[in-house]
Amino acid sequence: MTVATSRLQEVYGNVIAALRQLVRDQRLTEDELHAAAEFLNRVGAAGEFPLLFDITLAVTSVDVTKGAAGGTPANILGPYYLPGVPWRADGKLYVKPLGEGAELLTVSGRVTEAQDGSPVADAELDVWQADEHGVYDFSDAYHLRGKVKTDAEGRYRFETIVPAPYEIPKEGPTGELMRLLGRHHFRPAHIHMIVRVGGEERLVTQVFPAGGAYLDSDVAEAVKESLVVPMQPSAMREGRRAYTMEFDIALPPARVPQAADLARH
Ligand code: DHB
Ligand code: FE
């Protein structure tokens, strides 16, 4: 991504002003600044700046750039989206053998326009999630990833497994920081989705099964109440516990200006 000089100048000026205010407010000593710099060097050496930004700043960015759009709230993309995932004509996102503890989950719902409630046919849901151990798959099988389409009434459905909470890397400096703060390293279980209509991205969000661990203490602080959805137990299938989840999606109007658009002027 290239950044326009005017945007860079404006953001740089404001970053420095905000950090100077922080130095004043906290009366930071030079020793403390050196300690912070040493920590940030370790973050960089570990390649963890994307992680640190994702858990500290991403949800705020989503809120200010997409929060006023209306409809189903947006949520963070996170680091694990893969483009180019296959269509799942049968709706099944699991393509590798499932672990013993994996429980089946059918997610379905209706996609509508938030403005008038009209159903959105042929919307594309691009879905990804962690497995029953909280692990994302990055193989070319695209296990627990895939795209499904809405029908003429705007209905979608996919078959997956119940995700487990995701734990950020604990060994690196970001994990160490959380430990020093007395915080855990988990995101509550969630399913990511991007909704596109006619090739245009209309919503990036996450849905959280209700009742799971860490919903009130997400390390990325990205849980939103209307994205927490109950799971209903259903009949066992394939010798496994099975659940259903209804998640209706109201799309914000198309083309809400984003910061990235402004940067292009
Ligand atoms: C991170 C991981 C996720 O799965 C997610 O949804 C958001 C953030 C992270 O590691 O920062
Ligand atoms: Fe995630």
Side-chain angles (χ1 to χ4, degrees):
M1 177 180 158
T2 56
V3 180
T5 302
S6 59
R7 175 77 172 162
L8 180 62
Q9 288 169 339
E10 182 190 9
V11 172
Y12 176 79
N14 283 320
V15 165
I16 298 306
L19 291 175
R20 283 181 177 150
Q21 194 55 47
L22 180 79
V23 172
R24 282 183 209 107
D25 290 347
Q26 298 297 322
R27 303 175 65 84
L28 292 182
T29 65
E30 261 196 284
D31 279 352
E32 286 173 323
L33 286 177
H34 291 159
E38 189 268 337
F39 170 73
L40 292 175
N41 266 349
R42 289 200 289 125
V43 171
E48 288 192 351
F49 268 111
L51 170 66
L52 190 61
F53 279 24
D54 265 336
I55 66 171
T56 55
L57 301 176
V59 74
T60 304
S61 171
V62 166
D63 288 346
V64 299
T65 61
K66 300 173 171 178
T72 300
N75 210 321
I76 60 180
L77 180 70
Y80 299 138
Y81 172 67
L82 290 183
V85 302
W87 288 99
R88 304 296 188 192
D90 60 0
K92 256 173 88 161
L93 303 190
Y94 52 98
V95 292
K96 287 186 174 177
L98 296 180
E100 215 173 293
E103 300 177 330
L104 304 180
L105 174 62
T106 303
V107 182
S108 62
R110 217 160 154 254
V111 179
T112 57
E113 293 288 354
Q115 273 174 320
D116 59 7
S118 61
V120 182
D122 282 332
E124 167 186 327
L125 273 74
D126 190 339
V127 182
W128 70 106
Q129 66 167 77
D131 68 11
E132 77 278 16
H133 302 297
V135 176
Y136 286 86
D137 183 79
F138 293 97
S139 75
D140 52 17
Y142 297 106
H143 181 56
L144 301 177
R145 299 173 184 269
K147 293 194 286 188
V148 295
K149 243 183 206 301
T150 57
D151 67 13
E153 280 82 51
R155 290 183 201 287
Y156 74 90
R157 176 191 188 88
F158 58 87
E159 306 285 341
T160 185
I161 63 170
V162 178
Y166 165 80
E167 193 173 27
I168 67 164
K170 276 191 297 197
E171 318 74 37
T174 309
E176 179 188 327
L177 176 62
M178 291 302 122
R179 206 155 36 244
L180 291 171
L181 291 169
R183 295 174 63 156
H184 64 68
H185 300 83
F186 284 96
R187 297 213 61 220
H190 58 279
I191 300 173
H192 294 266
M193 48 183 87
I194 298 176
V195 185
R196 300 185 188 90
V197 181
E200 185 183 356
E201 182 179 297
R202 294 285 297 280
L203 182 68
V204 179
T205 194
Q206 304 178 10
V207 59
F208 302 84
Y214 312 116
L215 280 167
D216 55 7
S217 59
D218 181 2
V219 67
E221 297 178 46
V223 177
K224 301 178 184 202
E225 207 173 300
S226 63
L227 299 176
V228 179
V229 175
M231 288 197 305
Q232 313 291 346
S234 58
M236 282 185 77
R237 283 185 289 131
E238 302 171 32
R240 298 172 185 278
R241 274 185 217 271
Y243 300 85
T244 60
M245 182 184 232
E246 278 280 320
F247 180 54
D248 291 333
I249 298 168
L251 294 181
R255 295 304 311 149
V256 176
Q258 305 292 299
D261 296 327
L262 302 175
R264 272 180 224 119
H265 287 309

